[in-house]
Amino acid sequence: MPSYTLVYFNGRGLAEVARLMFAASGTEYQDKRITKEDWAEFKSKTPTGQLPILKIDDSDVIFQSSAIYRYLARELGFYGSNNLEAAGIDGICECWRDVLESVFKFKREQDPELKEKFKTVAGTKIIPGLLTLLQARLEVNNQGKGFFVGDKLSLADIVSYHCLSAVCNQFPGLTDKFPVLQAFMNRIGNIPEIKSWVETRPKTEF
């Protein structure tokens, strides 16, 4: 087993899916968190001037969050049982990208009026529409009582759990309208290894 070092800021953000995969698989890794004070100096040491990065055996470096997710999913057994399942997993993950983009849009906006407008659009139109589609997709597999793809935990489920948690933080009560997704989030959150990580991880703002 190679040694892994995941480097990111002190937050969940773009590194949390990788952390959840490490937790779910029981894989040891170093969770290196860069402070704002250290970032200016550390930035030049990264391939693209961005985080997260994943170091493997202190020699190879993988950059860009999606590349890290897919690499770890393959290595740790979260990428389905065949290429068709892998494609299905990719599709679910791409749907969540659209959800997060709508959240990032209002989170990044500095103008108070535009910020509120973007948040309203996200919370009343964009996100509910996408959650409707995702819930329907979940119900296709075992009537929504198991996983998004196949019969075991995959990257699609871990990304979905992470993103649903983020949606709940920004829009409390929104998932009440999507009982199958809510039950799914509770089910994944109660997997012992995931539950333990969530309960003990550092408390951060994002």
Side-chain angles (χ1 to χ4, degrees):
M1 176 69 70
S3 64
Y4 297 111
T5 301
L6 182 65
V7 186
Y8 192 58
F9 304 107
N10 186 29
R12 297 180 299 279
L14 297 175
E16 196 62 16
V17 168
R19 295 184 185 122
L20 287 165
M21 279 192 281
F22 282 131
S25 63
T27 302
E28 293 186 3
Y29 72 107
Q30 182 180 354
D31 187 12
K32 185 173 183 178
R33 298 180 181 233
I34 303 297
T35 64
K36 292 180 180 179
E37 294 74 20
D38 293 337
W39 173 234
E41 179 181 352
F42 190 83
K43 185 175 182 178
S44 63
K45 300 177 183 178
T46 67
T48 62
Q50 296 175 318
L51 294 177
I53 60 173
L54 180 67
K55 295 183 179 180
I56 304 167
D57 291 333
D58 290 324
S59 56
D60 296 310
V61 176
I62 300 175
F63 53 94
Q64 295 293 345
S65 56
S66 293
I68 292 170
Y69 301 165
R70 289 178 171 89
Y71 170 80
L72 288 176
R74 291 186 182 97
E75 292 294 303
L76 303 180
F78 298 120
Y79 216 37
S81 301
N82 52 56
N83 288 338
L84 186 59
E85 288 191 358
I89 290 166
D90 286 342
I92 296 298
C93 293
E94 291 301 316
C95 287
W96 283 112
R97 184 191 298 249
D98 295 336
V99 172
L100 293 183
E101 276 301 315
S102 70
V103 173
F104 292 151
K105 184 174 182 179
F106 74 76
K107 294 287 284 185
R108 289 192 296 253
E109 180 57 55
Q110 298 299 311
D111 182 277
E113 291 186 9
L114 283 177
K115 189 180 190 74
E116 189 60 32
K117 177 182 178 181
F118 292 156
K119 184 173 183 178
T120 298
V121 171
T124 60
K125 295 182 179 180
I126 298 174
I127 295 177
L130 287 165
L131 292 186
T132 298
L133 295 175
L134 285 162
Q135 179 166 273
R137 186 61 198 170
L138 178 60
E139 291 176 314
V140 169
N141 191 33
N142 194 30
Q143 299 179 321
K145 298 176 182 178
F147 306 104
F148 265 100
V149 179
D151 57 2
K152 62 181 181 179
L153 185 69
S154 76
L155 176 62
D157 304 305
I158 293 172
V159 167
S160 297
Y161 170 76
H162 171 61
C163 293
L164 279 168
S165 299
V167 167
C168 288
N169 287 338
Q170 294 297 324
F171 302 97
L174 180 58
T175 56
D176 293 345
K177 302 175 183 178
F178 302 93
V180 177
L181 284 177
Q182 183 65 57
F184 165 84
M185 185 170 67
N186 294 339
R187 191 163 59 247
I188 301 302
N190 280 316
I191 293 173
E193 295 82 2
I194 290 178
K195 184 177 181 180
S196 177
W197 165 249
V198 171
E199 289 176 348
T200 59
R201 68 187 175 189
K203 306 300 180 184
T204 60
E205 292 182 7
F206 67 95

Short mmCIF file of all heavy atoms in Angstrom, two decimals, residues 12-57:
data_model
loop_
_atom_site.label_atom_id
_atom_site.label_comp_id
_atom_site.label_asym_id
_atom_site.label_seq_id
_atom_site.Cartn_x
_atom_site.Cartn_y
_atom_site.Cartn_z
N ARG A 12 -13.34 21.66 4.66
CA ARG A 12 -13.83 20.47 3.96
C ARG A 12 -13.65 20.67 2.46
O ARG A 12 -12.91 19.96 1.82
CB ARG A 12 -15.29 20.21 4.34
CG ARG A 12 -15.48 19.90 5.82
CD ARG A 12 -16.93 19.63 6.18
NE ARG A 12 -17.79 20.76 5.92
CZ ARG A 12 -17.92 21.82 6.72
NH1 ARG A 12 -17.21 21.91 7.83
NH2 ARG A 12 -18.76 22.81 6.41
N GLY A 13 -14.38 21.64 1.90
CA GLY A 13 -14.20 22.06 0.52
C GLY A 13 -13.96 20.95 -0.48
O GLY A 13 -14.68 19.94 -0.53
N LEU A 14 -12.92 21.13 -1.28
CA LEU A 14 -12.63 20.21 -2.38
C LEU A 14 -11.83 18.98 -1.96
O LEU A 14 -11.53 18.13 -2.81
CB LEU A 14 -11.87 20.96 -3.48
CG LEU A 14 -12.64 22.10 -4.15
CD1 LEU A 14 -11.74 22.83 -5.14
CD2 LEU A 14 -13.89 21.58 -4.85
N ALA A 15 -11.48 18.89 -0.69
CA ALA A 15 -10.71 17.73 -0.23
C ALA A 15 -11.56 16.72 0.53
O ALA A 15 -11.12 15.60 0.76
CB ALA A 15 -9.55 18.18 0.66
N GLU A 16 -12.78 17.10 0.90
CA GLU A 16 -13.53 16.25 1.82
C GLU A 16 -13.97 14.93 1.20
O GLU A 16 -14.04 13.91 1.90
CB GLU A 16 -14.74 17.00 2.36
CG GLU A 16 -15.38 16.36 3.59
CD GLU A 16 -14.44 16.31 4.79
OE1 GLU A 16 -13.42 17.02 4.80
OE2 GLU A 16 -14.75 15.55 5.74
N VAL A 17 -14.24 14.92 -0.09
CA VAL A 17 -14.61 13.65 -0.74
C VAL A 17 -13.45 12.66 -0.63
O VAL A 17 -13.66 11.47 -0.35
CB VAL A 17 -15.00 13.88 -2.21
CG1 VAL A 17 -15.09 12.56 -2.96
CG2 VAL A 17 -16.33 14.62 -2.29
N ALA A 18 -12.24 13.12 -0.83
CA ALA A 18 -11.07 12.25 -0.69
C ALA A 18 -10.94 11.76 0.75
O ALA A 18 -10.68 10.58 1.00
CB ALA A 18 -9.80 12.98 -1.11
N ARG A 19 -11.14 12.66 1.70
CA ARG A 19 -11.06 12.26 3.12
C ARG A 19 -12.11 11.22 3.46
O ARG A 19 -11.86 10.28 4.21
CB ARG A 19 -11.21 13.49 4.01
CG ARG A 19 -10.09 14.52 3.88
CD ARG A 19 -10.28 15.64 4.89
NE ARG A 19 -9.30 16.70 4.71
CZ ARG A 19 -9.61 17.97 4.47
NH1 ARG A 19 -10.87 18.33 4.36
NH2 ARG A 19 -8.65 18.88 4.33
N LEU A 20 -13.32 11.39 2.90
CA LEU A 20 -14.38 10.42 3.16
C LEU A 20 -14.05 9.05 2.56
O LEU A 20 -14.35 8.01 3.17
CB LEU A 20 -15.71 10.94 2.59
CG LEU A 20 -16.36 12.09 3.36
CD1 LEU A 20 -17.44 12.76 2.52
CD2 LEU A 20 -16.96 11.58 4.68
N MET A 21 -13.40 9.04 1.40
CA MET A 21 -12.99 7.76 0.82
C MET A 21 -11.91 7.10 1.67
O MET A 21 -11.93 5.87 1.89
CB MET A 21 -12.50 7.95 -0.61
CG MET A 21 -13.62 8.04 -1.63
SD MET A 21 -13.04 7.94 -3.35
CE MET A 21 -12.42 9.60 -3.59
N PHE A 22 -10.97 7.87 2.15
CA PHE A 22 -9.95 7.31 3.04
C PHE A 22 -10.61 6.73 4.28
O PHE A 22 -10.27 5.62 4.73
CB PHE A 22 -8.94 8.39 3.44
CG PHE A 22 -7.91 8.71 2.40
CD1 PHE A 22 -7.65 10.03 2.04
CD2 PHE A 22 -7.18 7.70 1.78
CE1 PHE A 22 -6.68 10.33 1.09
CE2 PHE A 22 -6.21 7.99 0.82
CZ PHE A 22 -5.97 9.32 0.48
N ALA A 23 -11.57 7.47 4.85
CA ALA A 23 -12.24 7.00 6.05
C ALA A 23 -13.04 5.73 5.78
O ALA A 23 -12.95 4.74 6.53
CB ALA A 23 -13.16 8.09 6.59
N ALA A 24 -13.83 5.73 4.71
CA ALA A 24 -14.70 4.59 4.40
C ALA A 24 -13.91 3.32 4.13
O ALA A 24 -14.38 2.21 4.42
CB ALA A 24 -15.59 4.92 3.21
N SER A 25 -12.72 3.48 3.56
CA SER A 25 -11.90 2.31 3.23
C SER A 25 -10.93 1.93 4.34
O SER A 25 -10.24 0.90 4.24
CB SER A 25 -11.10 2.58 1.96
OG SER A 25 -10.21 3.67 2.14
N GLY A 26 -10.86 2.74 5.38
CA GLY A 26 -9.92 2.46 6.46
C GLY A 26 -8.46 2.64 6.05
O GLY A 26 -7.57 1.99 6.61
N THR A 27 -8.23 3.52 5.09
CA THR A 27 -6.88 3.73 4.56
C THR A 27 -6.18 4.86 5.32
O THR A 27 -6.74 5.95 5.47
CB THR A 27 -6.93 4.10 3.06
OG1 THR A 27 -7.60 3.05 2.36
CG2 THR A 27 -5.53 4.29 2.50
N GLU A 28 -4.98 4.60 5.77
CA GLU A 28 -4.21 5.62 6.48
C GLU A 28 -3.65 6.64 5.50
O GLU A 28 -3.26 6.30 4.39
CB GLU A 28 -3.07 4.98 7.28
CG GLU A 28 -3.54 4.10 8.42
CD GLU A 28 -2.37 3.60 9.27
OE1 GLU A 28 -1.21 3.99 8.99
OE2 GLU A 28 -2.63 2.81 10.20
N TYR A 29 -3.60 7.89 5.92
CA TYR A 29 -3.04 8.95 5.10
C TYR A 29 -2.68 10.12 6.00
O TYR A 29 -3.13 10.21 7.15
CB TYR A 29 -4.04 9.40 4.03
CG TYR A 29 -5.22 10.20 4.56
CD1 TYR A 29 -5.31 11.58 4.35
CD2 TYR A 29 -6.24 9.59 5.29
CE1 TYR A 29 -6.38 12.32 4.84
CE2 TYR A 29 -7.31 10.32 5.77
CZ TYR A 29 -7.37 11.68 5.56
OH TYR A 29 -8.43 12.41 6.06
N GLN A 30 -1.88 11.03 5.46
CA GLN A 30 -1.57 12.25 6.19
C GLN A 30 -2.48 13.36 5.69
O GLN A 30 -2.51 13.66 4.49
CB GLN A 30 -0.10 12.65 6.00
CG GLN A 30 0.29 13.90 6.79
CD GLN A 30 1.74 14.30 6.59
OE1 GLN A 30 2.50 13.58 5.94
NE2 GLN A 30 2.13 15.43 7.14
N ASP A 31 -3.19 13.97 6.59
CA ASP A 31 -4.13 15.05 6.27
C ASP A 31 -3.43 16.38 6.55
O ASP A 31 -3.55 16.95 7.63
CB ASP A 31 -5.39 14.89 7.12
CG ASP A 31 -6.50 15.87 6.74
OD1 ASP A 31 -6.38 16.51 5.68
OD2 ASP A 31 -7.46 15.99 7.52
N LYS A 32 -2.69 16.87 5.55
CA LYS A 32 -1.90 18.09 5.74
C LYS A 32 -2.74 19.31 5.39
O LYS A 32 -3.24 19.43 4.27
CB LYS A 32 -0.64 18.05 4.86
CG LYS A 32 0.29 19.23 5.08
CD LYS A 32 1.60 19.05 4.33
CE LYS A 32 2.56 20.19 4.60
NZ LYS A 32 3.86 20.00 3.89
N ARG A 33 -2.87 20.23 6.34
CA ARG A 33 -3.71 21.40 6.17
C ARG A 33 -2.84 22.66 6.17
O ARG A 33 -2.12 22.92 7.12
CB ARG A 33 -4.78 21.46 7.26
CG ARG A 33 -5.72 20.24 7.19
CD ARG A 33 -6.79 20.25 8.24
NE ARG A 33 -7.60 19.03 8.12
CZ ARG A 33 -8.93 19.03 8.01
NH1 ARG A 33 -9.60 20.17 8.01
NH2 ARG A 33 -9.59 17.88 7.89
N ILE A 34 -2.95 23.41 5.07
CA ILE A 34 -2.13 24.60 4.88
C ILE A 34 -2.87 25.83 5.43
O ILE A 34 -4.03 26.06 5.10
CB ILE A 34 -1.82 24.81 3.38
CG1 ILE A 34 -1.11 23.58 2.80
CG2 ILE A 34 -0.97 26.07 3.18
CD1 ILE A 34 0.23 23.28 3.42
N THR A 35 -2.18 26.61 6.25
CA THR A 35 -2.78 27.82 6.79
C THR A 35 -2.71 28.96 5.77
O THR A 35 -1.93 28.91 4.81
CB THR A 35 -2.06 28.26 8.07
OG1 THR A 35 -0.71 28.62 7.74
CG2 THR A 35 -2.05 27.14 9.11
N LYS A 36 -3.50 29.97 5.97
CA LYS A 36 -3.46 31.15 5.10
C LYS A 36 -2.08 31.78 5.12
O LYS A 36 -1.60 32.30 4.10
CB LYS A 36 -4.52 32.16 5.55
CG LYS A 36 -5.94 31.70 5.33
CD LYS A 36 -6.93 32.75 5.79
CE LYS A 36 -8.37 32.29 5.59
NZ LYS A 36 -9.35 33.32 6.07
N GLU A 37 -1.44 31.75 6.28
CA GLU A 37 -0.12 32.36 6.42
C GLU A 37 0.93 31.60 5.62
O GLU A 37 1.87 32.21 5.08
CB GLU A 37 0.28 32.41 7.89
CG GLU A 37 -0.57 33.33 8.76
CD GLU A 37 -1.95 32.78 9.09
OE1 GLU A 37 -2.14 31.54 8.97
OE2 GLU A 37 -2.83 33.58 9.45
N ASP A 38 0.78 30.29 5.52
CA ASP A 38 1.78 29.47 4.82
C ASP A 38 1.50 29.34 3.32
O ASP A 38 2.37 28.90 2.57
CB ASP A 38 1.83 28.07 5.44
CG ASP A 38 2.39 28.08 6.86
OD1 ASP A 38 3.12 29.04 7.19
OD2 ASP A 38 2.08 27.14 7.61
N TRP A 39 0.29 29.72 2.89
CA TRP A 39 -0.11 29.45 1.52
C TRP A 39 0.75 30.19 0.50
O TRP A 39 1.13 29.63 -0.53
CB TRP A 39 -1.57 29.78 1.32
CG TRP A 39 -2.04 29.71 -0.10
CD1 TRP A 39 -2.67 30.67 -0.82
CD2 TRP A 39 -1.90 28.60 -1.00
NE1 TRP A 39 -2.95 30.25 -2.09
CE2 TRP A 39 -2.48 28.96 -2.24
CE3 TRP A 39 -1.33 27.33 -0.88
CZ2 TRP A 39 -2.51 28.12 -3.34
CZ3 TRP A 39 -1.36 26.47 -1.98
CH2 TRP A 39 -1.93 26.87 -3.19
N ALA A 40 1.09 31.45 0.77
CA ALA A 40 1.87 32.23 -0.20
C ALA A 40 3.18 31.54 -0.53
O ALA A 40 3.60 31.48 -1.70
CB ALA A 40 2.12 33.63 0.34
N GLU A 41 3.83 30.97 0.48
CA GLU A 41 5.10 30.28 0.26
C GLU A 41 4.89 28.91 -0.36
O GLU A 41 5.66 28.48 -1.24
CB GLU A 41 5.85 30.14 1.58
CG GLU A 41 7.18 29.41 1.46
CD GLU A 41 7.90 29.26 2.80
OE1 GLU A 41 7.44 29.85 3.79
OE2 GLU A 41 8.91 28.54 2.83
N PHE A 42 3.83 28.22 0.04
CA PHE A 42 3.60 26.86 -0.43
C PHE A 42 3.07 26.82 -1.85
O PHE A 42 3.28 25.84 -2.58
CB PHE A 42 2.63 26.14 0.51
CG PHE A 42 2.49 24.67 0.27
CD1 PHE A 42 3.42 23.79 0.80
CD2 PHE A 42 1.46 24.15 -0.50
CE1 PHE A 42 3.32 22.42 0.58
CE2 PHE A 42 1.34 22.80 -0.73
CZ PHE A 42 2.28 21.93 -0.19
N LYS A 43 2.37 27.87 -2.27
CA LYS A 43 1.71 27.90 -3.57
C LYS A 43 2.65 27.56 -4.72
O LYS A 43 2.27 26.81 -5.65
CB LYS A 43 1.09 29.28 -3.80
CG LYS A 43 0.26 29.39 -5.07
CD LYS A 43 -0.41 30.76 -5.15
CE LYS A 43 -1.28 30.87 -6.40
NZ LYS A 43 -1.97 32.19 -6.47
N SER A 44 3.85 28.07 -4.68
CA SER A 44 4.81 27.84 -5.77
C SER A 44 5.28 26.39 -5.83
O SER A 44 5.86 25.96 -6.83
CB SER A 44 6.03 28.76 -5.61
OG SER A 44 6.71 28.48 -4.40
N LYS A 45 4.99 25.61 -4.80
CA LYS A 45 5.42 24.22 -4.75
C LYS A 45 4.35 23.27 -5.33
O LYS A 45 4.58 22.07 -5.40
CB LYS A 45 5.74 23.81 -3.31
CG LYS A 45 6.84 24.64 -2.67
CD LYS A 45 7.06 24.24 -1.21
CE LYS A 45 8.12 25.11 -0.55
NZ LYS A 45 8.30 24.78 0.89
N THR A 46 3.22 23.84 -5.74
CA THR A 46 2.16 23.02 -6.30
C THR A 46 2.21 23.07 -7.83
O THR A 46 2.68 24.06 -8.39
CB THR A 46 0.78 23.51 -5.82
OG1 THR A 46 0.52 24.81 -6.37
CG2 THR A 46 0.72 23.59 -4.30
N PRO A 47 1.72 22.04 -8.51
CA PRO A 47 1.81 22.01 -9.98
C PRO A 47 1.04 23.14 -10.68
O PRO A 47 1.45 23.62 -11.73
CB PRO A 47 1.20 20.65 -10.34
CG PRO A 47 1.39 19.81 -9.12
CD PRO A 47 1.23 20.75 -7.97
N THR A 48 -0.09 23.55 -10.10
CA THR A 48 -0.94 24.55 -10.77
C THR A 48 -1.22 25.77 -9.91
O THR A 48 -2.03 26.62 -10.30
CB THR A 48 -2.28 23.92 -11.17
OG1 THR A 48 -2.97 23.48 -9.97
CG2 THR A 48 -2.08 22.73 -12.09
N GLY A 49 -0.58 25.87 -8.74
CA GLY A 49 -0.87 26.98 -7.85
C GLY A 49 -2.21 26.85 -7.16
O GLY A 49 -2.80 27.84 -6.73
N GLN A 50 -2.71 25.61 -7.07
CA GLN A 50 -4.02 25.36 -6.47
C GLN A 50 -3.95 24.13 -5.57
O GLN A 50 -3.06 23.29 -5.69
CB GLN A 50 -5.07 25.12 -7.55
CG GLN A 50 -5.32 26.31 -8.47
CD GLN A 50 -6.29 25.97 -9.58
OE1 GLN A 50 -6.22 24.89 -10.18
NE2 GLN A 50 -7.22 26.87 -9.85
N LEU A 51 -4.92 24.04 -4.68
CA LEU A 51 -5.11 22.86 -3.85
C LEU A 51 -6.54 22.36 -4.06
O LEU A 51 -7.41 23.14 -4.45
CB LEU A 51 -4.89 23.21 -2.37
CG LEU A 51 -3.47 23.62 -1.97
CD1 LEU A 51 -3.43 24.00 -0.48
CD2 LEU A 51 -2.47 22.49 -2.25
N PRO A 52 -6.78 21.05 -3.85
CA PRO A 52 -5.91 20.06 -3.21
C PRO A 52 -4.91 19.42 -4.17
O PRO A 52 -5.07 19.48 -5.40
CB PRO A 52 -6.91 19.01 -2.71
CG PRO A 52 -8.01 19.05 -3.74
CD PRO A 52 -8.13 20.51 -4.12
N ILE A 53 -3.91 18.79 -3.56
CA ILE A 53 -3.03 17.88 -4.27
C ILE A 53 -2.90 16.61 -3.44
O ILE A 53 -3.11 16.62 -2.22
CB ILE A 53 -1.62 18.47 -4.54
CG1 ILE A 53 -0.93 18.84 -3.22
CG2 ILE A 53 -1.70 19.67 -5.48
CD1 ILE A 53 0.53 19.28 -3.40
N LEU A 54 -2.59 15.52 -4.12
CA LEU A 54 -2.38 14.24 -3.45
C LEU A 54 -0.97 13.76 -3.76
O LEU A 54 -0.63 13.54 -4.92
CB LEU A 54 -3.40 13.21 -3.91
CG LEU A 54 -3.29 11.80 -3.29
CD1 LEU A 54 -3.63 11.84 -1.80
CD2 LEU A 54 -4.18 10.81 -4.02
N LYS A 55 -0.17 13.61 -2.71
CA LYS A 55 1.18 13.08 -2.87
C LYS A 55 1.16 11.58 -2.61
O LYS A 55 0.54 11.11 -1.66
CB LYS A 55 2.15 13.75 -1.89
CG LYS A 55 2.35 15.24 -2.13
CD LYS A 55 3.39 15.80 -1.15
CE LYS A 55 3.64 17.27 -1.38
NZ LYS A 55 4.64 17.81 -0.42
N ILE A 56 1.86 10.84 -3.47
CA ILE A 56 1.91 9.38 -3.34
C ILE A 56 3.37 8.98 -3.17
O ILE A 56 4.22 9.24 -4.03
CB ILE A 56 1.32 8.70 -4.58
CG1 ILE A 56 -0.11 9.20 -4.81
CG2 ILE A 56 1.35 7.18 -4.43
CD1 ILE A 56 -0.68 8.83 -6.14
N ASP A 57 3.65 8.38 -2.02
CA ASP A 57 5.02 7.95 -1.70
C ASP A 57 6.03 9.10 -1.80
O ASP A 57 7.20 8.90 -2.12
CB ASP A 57 5.46 6.81 -2.63
CG ASP A 57 4.68 5.53 -2.35
OD1 ASP A 57 4.22 5.35 -1.21
OD2 ASP A 57 4.53 4.73 -3.28
#
